[in-house]
Amino acid sequence: MSVLNQKTLSKKVFFEGIGLHTGKKVSMTLLPSGPNTGITFKRVDLDNNNLVLPSVFNVSNATLCTTITNDYGVSVSTIEHIMGALYGLGVDNLLIEINSQEIPIMDGSASIFVDKILEVGFDISEVPIKLIKINNKIEVMDGSKYISIEKSNVSLDIDFEIKFNNSFIGNQRRKINIYENDLSDIFNSRTFCLYEDIENLRNMGFAKGGSLNNAVVVKDSELLNKEGLRNNLEFVNHKILDCMGDLYLAGFKIIGSIKCSQGGHSLTNQLLRKIFKEKINYSIFEINEKSIPHTYINKLPLKSIA
Ligand SMILES: [Zn+2]
């Protein structure tokens, strides 16, 4: 039942680009890794203490992007799009080497990561995948922002809503089943911002590498990118990509049902921290042919989890 077994890449994949916020040139290599090693980032520009794990509790900053920091103060930032790609493609184990602090932004979406990974394909191990099953409803509220998770049978559903005062973006809402639905529009959707926020972002030290090549920019009721949007719900689809990437910091794929209104990196991280605070909120289990009723084995949702 190999579709329920842990996956890595069949060979290494190389990316080059710039960091969205630092503006710095960066090279990133994805290297195959054995079962039960998980996803690990390695800062190859540093000689010591250079491993940084994408864990819920290593999130040191979630303003505009997700930054993880190890016990020695070594960080990797803007990890959410590569993590979203790995979650969506079901990659369990991978070593990610980078020679700078920030993951390359590429075109602002996860599509270049996804395409290159699919080009090399996967190596499927004999070891079963592990899953986190949510047992109780958990909620986090922050002003008008809201996120909750509750239990579901075998899916991860994300129901996401954004409400912007800007007339071009406006309100968008989408519900998606991560293991069953086509994720192409989620992977393709780019980072976005309002034109009037750019100066402020730059003053705060963000978005130094930002341009119309890696972000959708909206000015009043107008889109500044000449090529237009990639899909009708590109804004909320990108938020779902971010959410999926941030959720993967749980360590394993999740069985649960998420509802989110106007959330972002920080709210998703607060939700995960709240889940893991109490053991009764979740169960971790291995899933393989022996651990599930045989009637479930041929069901599409379970197959597509892997
Ligand atoms: Zn993003």
Side-chain angles (χ1 to χ4, degrees), residues 30-306:
L30 312 183
L31 297 124
S33 181
N36 295 324
T37 54
I39 312 291
T40 306
F41 290 91
K42 185 178 182 183
R43 287 276 304 269
V44 293
D45 54 322
L46 304 174
D47 292 329
N48 300 307
N49 306 319
N50 56 3
L51 297 180
V52 191
L53 299 181
S55 135
V56 177
F57 301 102
N58 280 346
V59 173
S60 53
N61 198 330
T63 315
L64 298 171
C65 68
T66 298
T67 302
I68 46 170
T69 304
N70 69 13
D71 291 346
Y72 305 95
V74 173
S75 297
V76 180
S77 59
T78 318
I79 63 166
E80 57 271 18
H81 305 155
I82 183 68
M83 290 299 286
L86 298 177
Y87 194 148
L89 295 172
V91 177
D92 304 282
N93 304 298
L94 199 67
L95 177 63
I96 304 175
E97 293 187 345
I98 56 163
N99 67 352
S100 181
Q101 191 202 296
E102 192 177 12
I103 302 293
I105 189 65
M106 312 313 288
D107 66 351
S109 78
S111 72
I112 295 172
F113 297 141
V114 169
D115 290 350
K116 277 196 155 189
I117 289 171
L118 290 176
E119 235 169 71
V120 302
F122 303 104
D123 184 32
I124 302 167
S125 74
E126 294 299 314
V127 181
I129 60 169
K130 289 192 179 84
L131 293 166
I132 296 168
K133 192 166 168 51
I134 300 299
N135 300 329
N136 297 313
K137 185 172 180 179
I138 311 286
E139 299 174 283
V140 178
M141 242 175 288
D142 180 6
S144 60
K145 299 174 187 173
Y146 173 82
I147 192 165
S148 69
I149 192 164
E150 51 196 303
K151 63 191 214 181
S152 77
N153 291 329
V154 285
S155 61
L156 171 66
D157 304 300
I158 300 179
D159 180 352
F160 208 110
E161 171 186 54
I162 55 171
K163 292 176 182 173
F164 271 75
N165 277 331
N166 178 281
S167 65
F168 189 86
I169 303 175
N171 297 357
Q172 292 192 338
R173 182 173 178 179
R174 184 165 185 206
K175 184 177 179 183
I176 188 158
N177 180 326
I178 298 301
Y179 307 134
E180 282 186 70
N181 295 149
D182 179 3
L183 298 179
S184 311
D185 283 349
I186 306 291
F187 290 144
N188 287 338
S189 293
R190 293 160 293 175
T191 307
F192 62 94
C193 72
L194 296 174
Y195 179 80
E196 59 259 38
D197 290 337
I198 293 177
E199 199 186 332
N200 217 357
L201 287 173
R202 294 237 160 103
N203 288 340
M204 285 161 64
F206 289 107
K208 287 179 192 151
S211 75
L212 292 173
N213 294 323
N214 55 34
V216 172
V217 183
V218 177
K219 189 179 182 186
D220 304 321
S221 58
E222 209 189 318
L223 179 70
L224 297 189
N225 305 66
K226 288 201 180 73
E227 72 279 12
L229 290 178
R230 291 182 175 178
N231 59 72
N232 288 340
L233 294 175
E234 184 161 6
F235 303 108
V236 74
N237 280 335
H238 185 79
K239 297 295 283 186
I240 293 174
L241 172 69
D242 283 344
C243 184
M244 200 163 75
D246 288 333
L247 285 174
Y248 207 17
L249 276 73
F252 304 118
K253 296 180 192 78
I254 295 174
I255 302 289
S257 186
I258 299 250
K259 279 196 181 72
C260 186
S261 181
Q262 305 178 77
H265 307 299
S266 171
L267 216 62
T268 308
N269 187 249
Q270 288 176 55
L271 180 77
L272 289 177
R273 283 177 191 258
K274 209 167 168 182
I275 294 168
F276 289 117
K277 222 171 164 180
E278 302 225 32
K279 188 71 197 71
I280 50 162
N281 291 335
Y282 65 97
S283 319
I284 296 178
F285 64 97
E286 278 195 349
I287 185 161
N288 60 22
E289 248 174 311
K290 286 173 201 143
S291 68
I292 53 171
H294 69 277
T295 46
Y296 275 90
I297 288 175
N298 293 322
K299 282 201 172 174
L300 179 71
L302 272 176
K303 278 190 172 179
S304 58
I305 285 168

Side-chain angles (χ1 to χ4, degrees), residues 17-34:
I18 57 163
L20 174 65
H21 296 299
T22 57
K24 282 187 186 158
K25 262 187 84 172
V26 52
S27 301
M28 176 170 84
T29 311
L30 312 183
L31 297 124
S33 181

